[in-house]
C-alpha cells in the first residue's frame, strides 16, 4: 500500500490495446504473451489486449497520480508501427493520468526529426522512448542519433532509453549497455535521460552514469523490488544515499501491475535492507523522491 499523502508517478508503462500489439509486431507480443503474460499477477495474463479504460482503472486503483505511456517505433525492422496519434488518445481521453512519450525510428533520418517536432508541438508528447535492441541502433551512434538528441534539447523533451537485457525477441542487446549513454550525456548535458530497468546486468555502469551527469536518471521498472534486492542490493544503498535524487519508480506495465510493484517496495520500506554488514532503513525523504519527486524533476512537471 502506498503512503496516502504521496501520489506516485509511474515513469514507464506501455499500451497493450489490440492496435498496439499489431503495430509493435512479434518482438513485442512474443515477449509479453510468452514471458511476462505467464505470471498470474500480470495485468494481461490470459488476455490478448487491454483497453485504454481498463488501463486507466488499474492505475486509479493503484493510487498513481501520473503515468508516462510510451510508444516504440521500429518501422525499419518490422515495416509497420503504431502511430503516435494513437498513443496521444490515452492522454486525450484521460489527461489527468497519462503523459505520452512518442516513438520514432532513428533510421528514418529527416522524417524522424519532423515526427519529433510534430509529436511534441501538435500531439503534446513530453518525451521520446528508445529501445536500442528492438530498434537496432546504438545510442552513441553520432551520425544516426546526434541530430535527434539536439532536436530533443531544442524542444526541451526528455528521453526514456531501454538499458540492460530484454525479453524482446529477434534482437540482440549489444546497444543496451548504460555506458553508451555516458557519451550522449557528455555531448548533451541539458538532455534529460531516463535509463530503464536499472541496466541489469550492467547495473553498476548505470549507477556510475547517473552519478556523473546531472540530468541522467534510472528507473527500476520491469522487476519486482524483492528480485532487484536479491540480485543487486547496491541499488537500494545508492537510492538511500548518493543517488537519492536520481532513481525513479516505474512499473513497466503491463508486465507488472503498479500496485503490486509499490506494495512490494513498501515491504522494503517497512522492513529495511542489509548492506555492508549493517541493517538499514529507507529514509522518509528518499521514499518521496523515489516514487514522485525525482520524476517531477525528470519530466519538468509542476510538483
Amino acid at each position: 500500500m502506498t503512503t496516502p499523502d504521496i501520489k506516485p508517478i509511474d515513469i514507464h508503462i506501455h499500451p497493450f490495446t489490440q492496435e498496439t500489439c499489431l503495430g509493435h509486431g512479434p518482438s513485442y507480443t512474443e515477449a509479453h504473451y510468452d514471458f511476462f503474460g505467464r505470471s498470474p499477477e500480470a495485468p494481461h495474463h490470459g488476455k490478448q489486449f487491454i483497453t485504454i479504460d481498463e488501463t486507466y482503472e488499474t492505475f486509479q486503483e493503484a493510487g498513481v497520480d501520473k503515468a508516462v505511456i510510451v510508444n516504440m517505433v521500429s518501422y525499419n525492422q518490422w515495416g509497420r508501427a503504431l502511430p503516435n496519434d494513437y498513443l496521444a488518445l490515452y492522454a486525450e481521453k484521460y489527461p489527468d493520468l497519462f503523459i505520452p512519450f512518442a516513438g520514432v525510428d532513428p533510421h528514418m533520418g529527416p522524417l524522424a526529426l519532423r515526427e519529433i517536432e510534430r509529436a511534441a508541438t501538435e500531439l503534446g508528447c513530453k518525451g521520446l522512448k528508445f529501445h536500442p535492441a528492438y530498434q537496432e541502433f546504438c545510442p552513441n551512434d553520432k551520425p544516426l542519433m546526434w541530430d535527434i538528441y539536439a532536436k530533443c534539447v531544442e524542444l526541451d523533451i526528455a528521453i526514456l532509453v531501454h538499458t540492460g537485457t530484454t525479453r524482446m525477441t529477434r534482437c540482440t542487446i549489444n546497444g543496451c549497455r548504460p555506458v553508451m549513454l555516458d557519451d550522449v550525456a557528455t555531448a548533451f548535458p541539458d538532455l534529460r535521460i531516463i535509463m530503464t530497468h536499472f541496466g541489469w546486468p550492467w547495473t553498476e555502469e548505470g549507477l556510475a552514469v547517473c552519478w556523473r551527469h546531472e540530468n541522467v536518471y534510472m528507473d527500476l521498472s520491469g522487476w519486482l523490488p524483492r528480485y532487484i534486492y536479491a540480485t543487486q542490493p547496491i541499488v537500494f544503498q545508492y537510492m538511500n544515499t548518493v543517488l537519492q535524487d536520481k532513481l525513479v519508480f516505474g512499473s513497466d506495465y503491463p508486465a507488472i501491475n503498479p500496485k503490486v510493484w509499490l506494495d512490494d517496495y513498501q515491504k522494503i520500506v517497512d522492513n529495511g535492507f542489509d548492506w555492508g554488514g549493517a541493517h538499514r532503513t529507507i529514509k522518509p525523504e528518499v521514499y518521496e523522491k523515489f516514487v514522485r519527486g525525482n520524476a517531477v524533476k525528470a519530466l519538468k512537471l509542476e510538483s
Side-chain angles (χ1 to χ4, degrees), residues 13 67-71 84-92 94-95 97-103 119-120 123-129 157-158 299:
I13 78 167
V68 172
I69 190 158
V70 304
N71 192 13
N84 289 313
D85 305 71
Y86 181 80
L87 184 77
L89 290 177
Y90 278 80
E92 183 179 316
Y94 295 112
L97 175 64
F98 295 118
I99 299 172
F101 267 40
L123 300 180
C125 295
K126 303 300 182 184
L128 298 179
K129 166 66 187 286
I157 58 176
L299 301 172

Side-chain angles (χ1 to χ4, degrees), residues 119-297:
T121 61
E122 297 181 23
L123 300 180
C125 295
K126 303 300 182 184
L128 298 179
K129 166 66 187 286
F130 291 108
H131 196 304
Y134 174 71
Q135 296 175 300
E136 292 194 321
F137 79 97
C138 290
N140 60 353
D141 183 334
K142 291 183 181 180
L144 186 68
M145 298 302 298
W146 255 229
D147 286 348
I148 288 175
Y149 298 140
K151 175 61 71 173
C152 292
V153 172
E154 175 191 329
L155 295 168
D156 196 21
I157 58 176
I159 62 171
L160 187 76
V161 184
H162 176 96
T163 58
T165 192
T166 181
R167 291 300 303 204
M168 301 283 274
T169 60
R170 314 182 196 204
C171 60
T172 65
I173 60 174
N174 295 328
C176 297
R177 292 193 66 157
V179 73
M180 290 191 174
L181 290 166
D182 184 56
D183 294 337
V184 179
T186 299
F188 299 93
D190 294 327
L191 178 63
R192 288 170 283 131
I193 303 170
I194 304 141
M195 298 185 290
T196 72
H197 312 309
F198 64 101
W200 185 84
W202 304 292
T203 299
E204 293 186 5
E205 277 188 12
L207 295 171
V209 174
C210 273
W211 181 77
R212 290 198 69 220
H213 299 285
E214 185 68 23
N215 287 312
V216 178
Y217 300 82
M218 176 188 286
D219 82 29
L220 306 189
S221 65
W223 293 52
L224 285 174
R226 75 185 84 155
Y227 300 128
I228 300 173
Y229 177 59
T231 307
Q232 291 285 356
I234 192 174
V235 167
F236 295 95
Q237 171 64 7
Y238 275 59
M239 173 194 291
N240 213 33
T241 55
V242 295
L243 292 184
Q244 63 181 263
D245 296 317
K246 292 304 195 75
L247 272 61
V248 291
F249 159 58
S251 66
D252 204 23
Y253 171 94
I256 300 174
N257 183 304
K259 185 178 187 304
V260 171
W261 202 105
L262 289 164
D263 285 350
D264 202 62
Y265 177 61
Q266 189 68 45
K267 293 175 184 176
I268 295 177
V269 173
D270 293 341
N271 300 324
F273 65 98
D274 294 323
W275 175 261
H279 188 72
R280 306 173 189 276
T281 57
I282 300 290
K283 301 168 186 174
E285 64 272 22
V286 167
Y287 179 91
E288 187 281 332
K289 289 178 180 181
F290 174 66
V291 303
R292 183 178 178 86
N294 294 341
V296 168
K297 290 192 306 176

Side-chain angles (χ1 to χ4, degrees), residues 13-20 49-60 69 82 85-95 97-98 253:
I13 78 167
H14 295 265
F16 205 73
T17 60
Q18 189 172 26
E19 294 86 351
T20 301
F49 57 88
I50 304 173
T51 68
I52 296 175
D53 294 335
E54 287 179 283
T55 297
Y56 179 79
E57 290 167 6
T58 295
F59 281 83
Q60 288 293 101
I69 190 158
L82 182 73
D85 305 71
Y86 181 80
L87 184 77
L89 290 177
Y90 278 80
E92 183 179 316
K93 190 167 188 180
Y94 295 112
L97 175 64
F98 295 118
Y253 171 94

